[in-house]
Amino acid sequence: MHTYDTLIRSVTIVDGSGAAAYVADVGIRQQRIALLGDAGVATAEHTIDGQGLTLAPGFIDVHTHDDTMVIRQPQMLPKLSQGVTTVIVGNCGISASPVSLQGEPPDPMNLLGPKDAFRYPRFADYRAAVEQAEPAVNVAALVGHTALRSNHLDRLDRTATPTEISAMRAQLADSLRHGALGLSSGLAYASAFSADSSEVEQLAAELNSCGGIYTTHLRSEFEPVLEAMDEAWRVGRHANSPVIVSHMKCAGKGNWGRSPQLLASLEQAASRQQVGCDCYPYSASSSTLDLKQVTADFEIFITWSTPHPEMAGQTLQAIAEQWQLPLLDAARKLQPAGAVYHGMEPADVENILRHPLTMVGSDGLPEDPLPHPRLWGAFPRVLGYYCRERQLFSLETAVHKMTGLSASRFALDERGLIRPGYWADLVLFDAATIQDTATFHAPIQAATGISAVWVNGVLSWQDKAATGVRAGRFLPRTRDIRCSFPAFTPLTSDKETRS
């Protein structure tokens, strides 16, 4: 007779591979999945009746800005409460390390926190801090291009010199040796927009020797988006590295309806190199208040403002009217500030989200006092709204986009699938009721329908509350990511869903 730490009986298993669901028992022992099948008369310290519930691998949030939050608020309630067991930090060119600030963090690095949150001059320092903090979720990390630029350039409105590029490459190489996944860029932001393609290519070339990955917030998500995608593919070819386009979207009213063109570019690139993208399940974006994005074409909602905190929670239009100023002047007066931009067409979001090359990422901003609801609701929203209500894809495909696909893209070995011997990162939920509850006006709300979450075999969330036990780990890159990066194979079930 076998004894397990935890035994989940008669549960519907959606294993993360995209394969059809089935009913079985799952036993956890010593942080790993020790049984997948029929438990018979086996006993366990904790037994759970899983009948009528679904068990999936813990969700992997491939696009986060939780860099400092995993240390400062290690309980990680916004993510744990929605079934996320692993976060990938360091996206959009901004990372908490390696960083040595001379003054205040430049925009958009300020999204990660104030100056005193940046205390990791080497990637190894950051890794040690995460391990010491013992967060409730696993953490894997990219190194930000803008972070490297802020370390070595006297000003960010120009491209780097050969000497500066060498210094940045050395810092990136050191980070890769200590377990960084790869390099991220945020070329749309003023702090990196002046970097030419050559600067990015030369930095990314450092990835080739170890098999790191390149992720990018494109130089533009507006009208020049296809040209920006071409630049990303070129960087990947130059570096011989996989490329992930971050939060792929058709931003701005003039771009609405162009998702087929973006997906065609993605598929064409996938036929000759390793590429993919992530997407958050909302038609509104969120970042710092960017003057280039100020428009009357769609609603812009202000979430914070340093000089005028009293204006948070209102639209830019309403603020401009109160101040009797043009939109652009009102935006200037609010800066630095945060904003939610309702600048996407829902049909484009659906097209991108259901594509077989697309993973799910939240892109949540935990420092924002009025965060976009994706911080607390992204993954349940995929399962509840897009899968169950909109029937955009099957439950098996939805889970695959949030687990198995993500783990293989980032070489998170023995995670992302329910398999004997794999780490027991698991989420138990009711597929009939799981739902996001966070809204734009009341964003700090946990999802409903999630029964339990295990991180590395430890029960971390149950009955709508954290257990208080934190079992997350730092997950270093241990090998060449190119070796596990999946080829583009369209899922027939998705095509059937669309027809």
Side-chain angles (χ1 to χ4, degrees), residues 60-63 88 91 142 213-215 242-248 266 275-281 349 352-362 379 382 393 397-412 485-486:
I60 298 169
D61 192 343
V62 297
H63 192 101
I88 294 178
N91 287 282
L142 297 153
I213 196 166
Y214 174 62
T215 74
V243 178
I244 300 295
V245 173
S246 297
H247 42 60
M248 194 159 89
L266 186 68
V275 302
C277 68
D278 65 63
C279 174
Y280 48 79
V349 175
I352 293 167
L353 190 59
R354 73 177 150 208
H355 195 276
L357 284 167
T358 305
M359 302 174 287
V360 175
S362 73
F379 291 81
V382 170
F393 29 53
T397 295
V399 169
H400 174 64
K401 287 174 167 294
M402 306 193 296
T403 58
L405 179 60
S406 310
S408 60
R409 288 253 178 90
F410 287 93
L412 305 177
F485 201 93

Side-chain angles (χ1 to χ4, degrees), residues 4 53 56 81 122 142 164 183 196 240 246 290 307 320 332-333 336 347 381 410 413 435 460:
Y4 299 99
L53 297 175
S81 66
R122 294 185 65 212
L142 297 153
E164 290 163 343
L183 175 71
D196 60 20
N240 189 27
S246 297
D290 177 11
R332 284 196 185 95
K333 190 173 174 180
R381 182 171 172 80
F410 287 93
D413 292 339
Q435 183 177 321
S460 304

Side-chain angles (χ1 to χ4, degrees), residues 167-181:
M168 288 192 283
R169 280 189 70 156
Q171 211 163 29
L172 175 59
D174 179 69
S175 302
L176 292 165
R177 280 193 296 274
H178 285 94
L181 295 172

Side-chain angles (χ1 to χ4, degrees), residues 7-153:
L7 187 57
I8 308 164
R9 288 189 176 271
S10 304
V11 71
T12 299
I13 292 173
V14 178
D15 70 5
S17 70
Y22 60 95
V23 176
D25 303 331
V26 174
I28 301 170
R29 188 191 299 127
Q30 293 181 341
Q31 301 188 314
R32 293 181 181 264
I33 298 167
L35 166 79
L36 182 56
D38 184 356
V41 294
T43 60
E45 212 172 309
H46 302 286
T47 300
I48 294 173
D49 179 5
Q51 203 157 5
L53 297 175
T54 297
L55 188 72
F59 305 138
I60 298 169
D61 192 343
V62 297
H63 192 101
T64 84
H65 296 289
D66 296 330
D67 303 51
T68 64
M69 207 52 62
V70 293
I71 297 166
R72 293 189 290 149
Q73 294 184 20
Q75 193 58 69
M76 291 298 291
L77 291 180
K79 298 300 169 70
L80 191 63
S81 66
Q82 58 177 307
V84 170
T85 57
T86 298
V87 297
I88 294 178
V89 304
N91 287 282
C92 295
I94 58 177
S95 58
S97 72
V99 173
S100 303
L101 291 177
Q102 303 305 313
E104 291 300 314
D107 185 301
M109 285 176 64
N110 52 4
L111 290 173
L112 302 184
K115 182 182 178 182
D116 66 3
F118 295 86
R119 50 183 71 171
Y120 316 106
R122 294 185 65 212
F123 188 85
D125 301 325
Y126 177 74
R127 177 176 175 174
V130 172
E131 289 170 343
Q132 187 176 356
E134 297 180 343
V137 298
N138 302 310
V139 181
L142 297 153
V143 169
H145 170 223
T146 298
L148 295 173
R149 281 171 63 81
S150 75
N151 292 341
H152 297 287
L153 274 68

